[in-house]
Amino acid sequence: LVRQRAGKTVVLEQPVDFTTLGGKYADFAENFVLKNAAFPFFLYVPFSHVHTTADDQPDMQYCGCAHKNQTRRGTFGDALAEADAFVGRIMAALDTSNVRANTLVLFTGDNGPWLAQRTSGGSAGLLSGTFSGYWNVGKGSTWEGGIREAAFAHWHGVIPPGTRSAEVVSSLDLLPTVLDLAQLPLPLDRPIDGRSARDVLLSPSGQSRHHVLFFYGGPDGQATPSAARYGPYKAHWATGPGLGGCKVEPAAPAGCPVVRYQNGPLLFQIEHDPSEAYPLSINQSTHSDPIIAAVLAKLQAAYTTEVATLGRYSSPHAPDGPGEGPGTYGVCCDRKRACYCDGAPAGVAAAAEETATRGQLSQK
């Protein structure tokens, strides 16, 4: 666990102890709110939950002792419950500081479940990508199970409570949305793919400013978009599995092939068919239904423009400073594949026992 401040990196804990990691994140966020409540602030809290861990942790998940074995969803559910509790602590800090009324809180995820990690990676639920013919339609794919995320917005007295929207927005929209609300201009030295979602947040009838929202990643990586949303329609120009792929097996009789649709996209009405089971068009440039034909034409024209005008922007990582770099830090606290919440970690206990044994031998 490291802290980076003013260009300096300080190791706080090495190796990191997962049973207290989440609490440290929550402590930092809570204290940040309390200390900065008198000033405008921006706080980004990227919890490690509920990402999987290395395989030296039980079920490749973790949580603190207070949440261990507290849910029916196993270790994944325990981790999720702990993340929920941490969000509650941050919201309570806003109340304590009397700033909830002028604070916008946004909560979302970065991708769907990492299905190759089985139950420790979560579940895609209804977003099953049924037409694919394989199970691995989560993280790393552009099937709905890989990219569709829930999002929550809270702004007391501004966003009507209990309202919902089916408009399509992206995490790319966070920067332009926040700047729009703060009445600040967008930077002009780089391409900005996002659009302000102010209208969606502040009005139950607000509409997304994305006419067509393209999804990169998947089979074509960053070279060209693999899929897109256009209102209630979802188009795929290339499909493939999530991270880890899959082999030929009962849940994937043909394996996990990459399929490209060069004549026209694979098209779904995603609001009616979130499981992507029943395509409206498959690799066709035209269609007998005039509505579907118009949708295909609009999507193909937008795709052609997107590819032709795609701008590249390089944003390299800052160079490693003294004491930084791959292999510098320990990855985790190996508690011998178990979480000993009521005592010292197994390694510490074993070391103490060995020391005591050596002392007895020396006395003899």
Side-chain angles (χ1 to χ4, degrees), residues 1-2 11-22 24-25 48 56-57 62 329-335:
L1 181 66
V2 301
V11 176
L12 302 179
E13 188 175 76
Q14 183 183 22
V16 67
D17 183 348
F18 280 153
T19 59
T20 59
L21 177 61
K24 289 183 173 70
Y25 286 152
S48 295
D56 58 358
Q57 294 295 307
Y62 75 97
Y329 309 122
V331 176
C332 63
C333 181
D334 184 355
R335 293 195 166 197

Side-chain angles (χ1 to χ4, degrees), residues 5-364:
R5 181 182 297 167
K8 295 183 179 180
T9 299
V10 177
V11 176
L12 302 179
E13 188 175 76
Q14 183 183 22
V16 67
D17 183 348
F18 280 153
T19 59
T20 59
L21 177 61
K24 289 183 173 70
Y25 286 152
D27 289 343
F28 178 90
E30 187 177 60
N31 291 331
F32 181 93
V33 171
L34 297 175
K35 291 179 180 178
N36 293 279
F39 313 98
F41 65 77
F42 172 78
L43 174 62
Y44 173 51
V45 187
F47 288 124
S48 295
H49 283 318
V50 286
H51 199 289
T52 58
T53 67
D55 58 8
D56 58 358
Q57 294 295 307
D59 298 322
M60 299 180 67
Q61 272 294 350
Y62 75 97
C63 69
C65 298
H67 292 88
K68 184 175 172 61
N69 298 324
Q70 296 300 304
T71 72
R72 299 177 66 179
R73 180 62 175 80
T75 53
F76 183 90
D78 295 345
L80 191 62
E82 184 171 59
D84 180 71
F86 294 158
V87 173
R89 284 182 56 184
I90 296 171
M91 299 302 293
L94 295 175
D95 287 332
T96 299
S97 304
N98 295 315
V99 294
R100 187 187 280 227
N102 62 345
T103 302
L104 170 63
V105 181
L106 299 171
F107 181 91
T108 188
D110 56 352
N111 49 251
W114 190 0
L115 294 178
Q117 304 296 351
R118 304 172 68 85
T119 56
S120 66
S123 169
L126 186 64
L127 310 178
S128 57
T130 303
F131 186 78
S132 69
Y134 46 80
W135 57 268
N136 195 354
V137 294
K139 176 180 179 179
S141 81
T142 50
W143 297 103
E144 289 293 277
I147 60 174
R148 188 167 181 169
E149 291 297 313
F152 304 89
H154 174 85
W155 193 351
H156 184 71
V158 179
I159 297 177
T163 54
R164 303 179 66 176
S165 174
E167 291 295 301
V168 180
V169 296
S170 165
S171 56
L172 294 171
D173 299 336
L174 292 177
L175 172 64
T177 300
V178 171
L179 291 182
D180 187 11
L181 291 169
Q183 299 182 350
L184 295 172
L186 287 168
L188 301 176
D189 62 342
R190 69 201 68 190
I192 302 294
D193 296 311
R195 302 287 185 271
S196 174
R198 176 188 181 125
D199 298 340
V200 177
L201 291 179
L202 302 186
S203 172
S205 59
Q207 294 184 336
S208 172
R209 299 183 187 181
H210 288 285
H211 188 58
V212 177
L213 177 60
F214 288 99
F215 305 121
Y216 287 78
D220 288 337
Q222 302 305 311
T224 56
S226 293
R229 274 290 299 268
Y230 171 52
Y233 297 98
K234 168 83 174 288
H236 293 272
W237 286 272
T239 59
L243 292 182
C246 68
K247 58 185 179 180
V248 175
E249 53 188 305
C256 288
V258 170
V259 180
R260 302 185 187 282
Y261 302 91
Q262 298 178 340
N263 295 326
L266 178 68
L267 185 69
F268 297 94
Q269 211 289 13
I270 211 69
E271 292 183 351
H272 296 173
D273 181 22
S275 298
E276 295 173 288
Y278 309 108
L280 303 176
S281 181
I282 306 174
N283 204 28
Q284 295 175 258
S285 58
T286 61
H287 198 278
S288 59
D289 185 321
I291 295 177
I292 302 302
V295 170
L296 289 172
K298 181 72 71 174
L299 281 164
Q300 198 60 45
Y303 177 85
T304 300
T305 300
E306 174 77 3
V307 173
T309 60
L310 180 62
R312 302 292 179 182
Y313 178 79
S314 177
S315 181
H317 295 292
D320 292 327
E324 299 179 343
T328 304
Y329 309 122
V331 176
C332 63
C333 181
D334 184 355
R335 293 195 166 197
K336 299 301 181 185
R337 307 182 74 86
C339 178
Y340 293 88
C341 291
D342 297 323
V348 174
E353 182 178 353
E354 181 179 358
T355 300
T357 302
R358 287 179 178 176
Q360 293 173 359
L361 291 175
S362 297
Q363 291 174 4
K364 291 180 181 180

